[in-house]
Amino acid sequence: RVEHPAGGYKKLFETVEELSSPVTAHVTGWIPTWLRGSLLRCGPGLFEVGSEPFYHLFDGQALLHKFDFKEGHVTYHRRFVRTDAYVRAMTEKRIVITEFGTYAYPDPCKNIFSRFFSYFKGVEVTDNALVNVYPVGEDYYACTETNFITRINPDTLETIKQVDLCKYVSVNGATAHPHIENDGTVYNIGNCFGKNFSLAYNIIRIPPLQADKEDPMNKSEVVVQFPCSDRFKPSYVHSFGLTPNYIVFVETPVKINLLKFLSSWSLWGANYMDCFESNETMGVWLHVAEKKKGRLLNLKYRTSAFNLFHHINTYEDNGFLIVDLCTWKGFEFVYNYLYLANLRANWDEVKRQAEKAPQPEARRYVLPLSIDKVLESAPIPATPAPLEPGLGHSQGWGSHSFPGQPVLCPCPCPSARMTLPGFLAARVPGLLSPCPAGLRRSPHPPGPHPSRSHLAGVVLSIVISPGVGPKPAFLLILNAKDMSEVARAEVEVNIPVTFHGLFKRA
């Protein structure tokens, strides 16, 4: 039997063990001596507990990875984040807390009456921090998309403590994609209850560390509140746009049925995925607020339906906001295709599902900041299609798509972030990319920026070897100028899929 050359893609979804100490990577090529610091990445590393499997890509327990660079040498280390979900699962040897696509069955030792009364204690939300890592002041936090974030030690990868954002600011959860400004200010967005018990979206700000050394979390505040188009069904929010003067929130037709969410855990045993639904007629609304004044603009833009997870870039240009997005065509929820059974299928079935799923597309929207702006003056590379008028508030203006360039996880060009349209992105052949098929570069060269997988001069990317070979995984180091290979740091252990992270300078 001949193995498929990409047959090793299933290694992305295999449970691995954490390391007791860092291991030395075998370096091929030359690593610049000025490259000093740590690449931190998050992702799932435990895909079952005993005989109980997790079912969705976003269910595996959080594993924190670190590639450390010093004087041309590289070490690799990883540890599981000691969240409540992980510790309780290890203690009870079963899945205890319901995850994104996996329902946690009640303790069989508890009778029906204790399970019934536990319903009135509220929903037990997961703290499985497998999505991203970001700094707040001098501290670092691993996070998912709930109200719980986990403080970690970026040097030892030890877990320090769980933090509940609800205790600091009015949000029921927050995205795993905050914006970190040059001075350390953190902006994020999360769902909340607005006036008259209606739902809304709050932009929160966490200031940088001050001279008094007080935890910046204690000084968190709500900057502005965006209204929700549906009183009991907020849209799923994964990221948002930020410029020096404006905040852009894109409200999509993927909805969370709040009543179902609040009742499902104890009444009929559902998970997070069961609470999502799509509003076929809503389309997409783009909202804008002034960042410094915390004031909504009397402008609203509407376009046809799409899914959105990652903003590529947002910047201002002569009275317009340029909003570059990674979109998925249509209103069907892309996460429906990310169950592990689909991702672990044979290669032909994986490709078939990828072709069936909504297709990714890099898309640009050009938003005028006043209604007297004319489309002919918009700074766009081609003639856009008009957007629909926004409930009489404004004239909607155009978008431009980039066909043939499907991207999944973009990285804003650091020297251009919030001002110019540069970005790097992994190019993927379909929904699933077992390993990067290539990297596409914008005309703007990258500069210093501790985000995603690149910084001054080089691009860093973890690659899982698709075929059978002596080294199952390696860190690829590319020249950011021409995308040529500079070096690779190979390790003897498998590295499962990672989602996001940052580069922490030494």
Side-chain angles (χ1 to χ4, degrees), residues 46 49 54 61-62 80-97 99 126-128 150 159 162:
L46 181 73
V49 180
F54 291 107
Q61 297 302 288
F80 283 103
V81 184
R82 264 58 176 179
T83 60
D84 280 357
Y86 176 83
V87 171
R88 292 173 61 183
M90 294 298 97
T91 302
E92 300 187 32
K93 295 179 173 54
R94 67 183 184 90
I95 298 172
V96 179
I97 297 180
E99 298 293 349
T126 183
D127 63 343
N128 183 22
T150 303
T159 300
Q162 180 199 82

Side-chain angles (χ1 to χ4, degrees), residues 396-412:
W397 303 93
S399 69
H400 176 71
S401 61
F402 305 92
Q405 298 182 28
V407 293
L408 181 59
C409 293
C411 180

Side-chain angles (χ1 to χ4, degrees), residues 125-126 134 143-149 163-167 169-177 188-193 199-204 222 234-238 240 256 258 261 272:
V125 176
T126 183
Y134 66 91
C143 65
T144 179
E145 296 184 320
T146 68
N147 53 299
F148 294 115
I149 59 178
V163 173
D164 184 355
L165 291 173
C166 293
K167 295 181 179 179
V169 69
S170 179
V171 287
N172 299 320
T175 77
H177 291 290
N188 209 341
I189 187 172
N191 293 321
C192 69
F193 289 111
L199 286 165
Y201 312 90
N202 276 353
I203 296 290
I204 61 174
V222 174
S235 291
Y236 175 67
V237 184
H238 192 82
F240 65 105
I256 303 169
L258 185 63
F261 177 85
Y272 293 81

Side-chain angles (χ1 to χ4, degrees), residues 67 98 178 200 202 211 222 230 324 347 351 377 401:
F67 279 93
T98 292
N202 276 353
V222 174
D230 191 317
D324 291 343
W347 186 246
K351 290 194 296 182
S377 66
S401 61

Side-chain angles (χ1 to χ4, degrees), residues 230-282:
D230 191 317
R231 180 170 180 176
F232 293 112
K233 296 178 181 179
S235 291
Y236 175 67
V237 184
H238 192 82
S239 63
F240 65 105
L242 192 75
T243 77
N245 297 299
Y246 296 97
I247 303 165
V248 178
F249 164 54
V250 180
E251 190 177 16
T252 72
V254 175
K255 293 287 186 177
I256 303 169
N257 187 318
L258 185 63
L259 296 179
K260 186 183 292 186
F261 177 85
L262 293 175
S263 64
S264 63
W265 261 245
S266 295
L267 294 186
W268 51 276
N271 54 57
Y272 293 81
M273 279 293 294
D274 295 322
C275 301
F276 287 105
E277 57 187 48
S278 295
N279 184 337
E280 301 180 17
T281 61
M282 172 187 161

